[in-house]
Amino acid sequence: ELARSGTCVAKERAAGALQNLAVNADNKVAIAAAGGIGPLVELARSGTCVAKERAAGALQNLAVNADNKVAIAAAGGIGPLVELARSGTSVAKENAAGALWKLSVNDDNEVAIADAGGIGPL
């Protein structure tokens, strides 16, 4: 909930907490089931610099799960991750590149990443 409608600082902290929690396999599933992917994509698109870094890190960790690879793409996550890989902070670039790497294991995502201009920044 905080990642969606909290203050800027609350969103940054919520994204950071989700980034850390998403290291655990069960939490990857729980975060997706709780609707956490959409708010993380939105933070990657339009959050503060810190929120973008942490949201990209959370999406990177979530993208290890096959179902989450599909869900992140369906939530519109590829475009913001490509943009962060192109022009984010150094931490955002690293996290976005990691997320795109994990997402690219899915054949449909490979095409979507290329279509979104993701090859150049990578």
Side-chain angles (χ1 to χ4, degrees):
E1 185 64 33
L2 287 175
R4 185 184 337 253
S5 61
T7 65
C8 288
V9 172
K11 289 177 181 179
E12 291 171 357
R13 291 179 180 170
L18 291 170
Q19 180 180 1
N20 291 339
L21 290 167
V23 171
N24 174 279
D26 291 336
N27 289 344
K28 286 173 179 44
V29 173
I31 290 166
I37 290 175
L40 288 167
V41 168
E42 185 55 36
L43 285 176
R45 177 181 294 112
S46 62
T48 66
C49 288
V50 171
K52 288 178 180 180
E53 292 171 355
R54 294 175 181 172
L59 292 169
Q60 175 181 203
N61 291 340
L62 289 167
V64 172
N65 175 286
D67 291 335
N68 289 348
K69 285 175 178 39
V70 173
I72 291 166
I78 290 174
L81 290 168
V82 167
E83 183 56 32
L84 286 175
R86 178 181 298 117
S87 61
T89 66
S90 60
V91 172
K93 286 179 180 180
E94 182 178 334
N95 289 343
L100 291 167
W101 172 31
K102 291 171 182 169
L103 289 169
S104 71
V105 175
N106 174 290
D107 290 342
D108 291 334
N109 289 347
E110 282 181 357
V111 173
I113 291 166
D115 288 348
I119 293 173
L122 296 173

